Every structure is written in structure tokens, then in C-alpha cells.
Amino acid sequence: KVAPAQPLRGTPIMEALFIINDPPYGTERVYNALRLSHALLKKDAQTAITVFLMADSVAAAKAGQKTPEGFYNVERMLKRVLAGKGRVLLCGTCVDARGLDQSELMEGAQRSTMDELATATHSADKVLVF
């Protein structure tokens, strides 16, 4: 028997795309999606994580969030995704509809498009929708 090919060092073993729709606070969908993304990175640091924020979830990338002590902060959670070499993409139409300006968004979050989401969906091994 021939052993299965091993991935090259530095090559992502899995590409996971998280599509998030809910507002950052009020429900726990954003929180739970980001918890899962962190767990995947912890399991294998070479996992390629893309978080695509659309609808009300684009507010999760707003810079300077102040949450009560002991309460989760989605801005910090998104920074952990970025620190793990992940991507945080925002639906540009959704950003505009909510009157957010690029200067209000956290560093590393990138304005994106449906075409880019389609490309990310096509190349992902796993697509998780929250």
C-alpha cells in the first residue's frame, strides 16, 4: 500500500469559511462561530480560516468595542482570527447599508464582495453558516 500524500509544511490542511449574519451582541451566534474558529486553529494552526461578515454581523468588526468586564468582546475574538493568519472579510454592501466607514473598522478587516465570497465558498473544504 502507498501512504497518503502528506501536505507540504505551511500548506493549509483545511480551509474553513465562516459566514456570519447575526449582530455581534444580542445573540451568541457570532460568539459561537468565533469560538469554533479558535478551536479549529488550536487543533491545527495550519487551518486556513476565513470569516465573512454580512448583514448585521459587519458591526462585529467595529473598532474600539467596550464590553463589561468578564463579557466576551467580538473585536478581540476577530483579532485572534487575524493573529492566526486568518482573514476577516466584510460585505461591502452591508457595511454601506449600516453607514459604517472604513475608518471605524478594526485593523485587518477587509471590505469584500459577493464575488469574493463565491470564490471563498468554492475553495473551502468546510462552509459554516451562523
Side-chain angles (χ1 to χ4, degrees), residues 3-126:
Q6 296 296 313
L8 298 175
R9 182 168 273 246
T11 302
I13 291 177
M14 179 178 64
E15 290 186 34
L17 169 62
F18 290 80
I19 302 172
I20 307 175
N21 292 280
D22 276 14
Y25 304 101
T27 75
E28 292 186 351
R29 287 188 179 171
V30 174
Y31 171 67
N32 286 323
L34 295 176
R35 286 177 58 216
L36 178 54
S37 72
H38 298 157
L40 287 172
L41 286 171
K42 186 176 178 182
K43 188 167 187 68
D44 186 343
Q46 292 182 357
T47 300
I49 301 288
T50 298
V51 173
F52 194 96
L53 303 173
M54 49 191 325
D56 286 338
S57 74
V58 295
K62 190 158 178 4
Q65 295 176 36
K66 293 177 178 54
T67 53
E69 185 67 35
F71 195 73
Y72 66 90
N73 180 300
V74 294
E75 179 186 8
R76 282 196 297 266
M77 294 179 82
L78 286 170
K79 286 179 180 178
R80 285 180 58 194
V81 170
L82 293 169
K85 307 297 185 229
R87 298 186 308 161
V88 175
L89 306 177
L90 285 74
C91 167
T93 303
C94 304
V95 168
D96 293 344
R98 285 151 186 83
L100 291 172
D101 186 76
Q102 183 68 37
S103 65
E104 297 177 272
L105 302 177
M106 60 181 277
E107 187 176 330
Q110 301 171 4
R111 183 183 178 93
S112 190
T113 64
M114 290 306 287
D115 286 341
E116 200 166 356
L117 176 57
T119 299
T121 301
H122 186 263
S123 67
D125 296 307
K126 305 279 185 202

